[in-house]
Amino acid sequence: GESVGLHLPTLSVQEGDNSIINCAYSNSASDYFIWYKQESGKGPQFIIDIRSNMDKRQGQRVTVLLNKTVKHLSLQIAATQPGDSAVYFCAETANDYKLSFGAGTTVTVRA
Amino acid sequence: KAGVTQTPRYLIKTRGQQVTLSCSPISGHRSVSWYQQTPGQGLQFLFEYFSETQRNKGNFPGRFSGRQFSNSRSEMNVSTLELGDSALYLCASSPRGGTGIYEQYFGPGTRLTVT
């Protein structure tokens, strides 16, 4: 079936640098996208979302970019901090409550 | 506002047994979804309940079932456990208020180990 996937399974970033996490999706009917952060021993934590009628959305230190033409989603984290170390998942849905998740990218922040 | 709570947090069962997991959504949230997370398959959707009715279902065998109560609390049941059912089972709640926003808020999960 169709699925959402991440380009890289791991990302190592120097503290203070910006991080970019990528995600490709294949379901052209996807209308809503979410980025989640999962720390060890915890459930996924909502970071930011974006609807398909937008191409950019900003939150606190995070920006999500959506390119529907190439079915690509990215999460940018500004000034990465040690607390940003976690697994990041993109998820998509076609206007329902059935989220399809990518495989996840493990971000490690180097001091 | 309290988050999503799941009980128990850890569970060890034997093959062939059955198990029931419980989830209490965020107050006011009426939709509850369940996901299975494993290292090999990642996060996979099991089912979603709203107003005590299953509204969405993933591709899992009939051994996996669930229900929702009038207070929005939900339970999921797995019968005839197999080793491959060992996973983190996550519950997520959503307001489902017709706003077209489908964000879901996750609980800490129940770690099920089948031996």
Side-chain angles (χ1 to χ4, degrees), chain B residues 60-107:
Chain B
F60 279 81
R63 300 187 296 109
F64 292 81
S65 62
R67 60 176 175 169
Q68 186 181 34
F69 303 94
S70 58
N71 61 358
S72 295
R73 192 178 68 84
S74 177
E75 290 180 346
M76 69 162 281
N77 184 279
V78 187
S79 62
T80 320
L81 284 166
E82 300 176 0
L83 295 178
D85 296 333
S86 294
L88 181 67
Y89 289 89
L90 291 158
C91 167
S93 75
S94 176
R96 216 186 204 272
T99 60
I101 302 300
Y102 303 97
E103 79 273 21
Q104 297 182 20
Y105 299 90
F106 284 82

Side-chain angles (χ1 to χ4, degrees), chain A residues 29-92:
Chain A
S30 296
D31 183 69
Y32 180 69
F33 305 86
I34 310 174
W35 280 100
Y36 283 95
K37 171 187 179 183
Q38 187 174 23
E39 296 174 284
S40 180
K42 298 182 180 180
Q45 176 188 356
F46 177 93
I47 301 174
I48 192 168
D49 59 359
I50 189 168
R51 293 201 68 88
S52 61
N53 61 355
M54 303 172 69
D55 53 22
K56 181 179 180 179
R57 190 158 188 232
Q58 288 183 293
Q60 186 177 14
R61 281 202 309 120
V62 295
T63 300
V64 55
L65 299 177
L66 174 64
N67 185 331
K68 294 180 288 295
T69 302
V70 295
K71 297 191 185 69
H72 183 268
L73 190 69
S74 68
L75 177 70
Q76 300 177 4
I77 304 174
T80 310
Q81 302 170 358
D84 295 327
S85 292
V87 181
Y88 289 80
F89 295 95
C90 61
E92 54 90 12

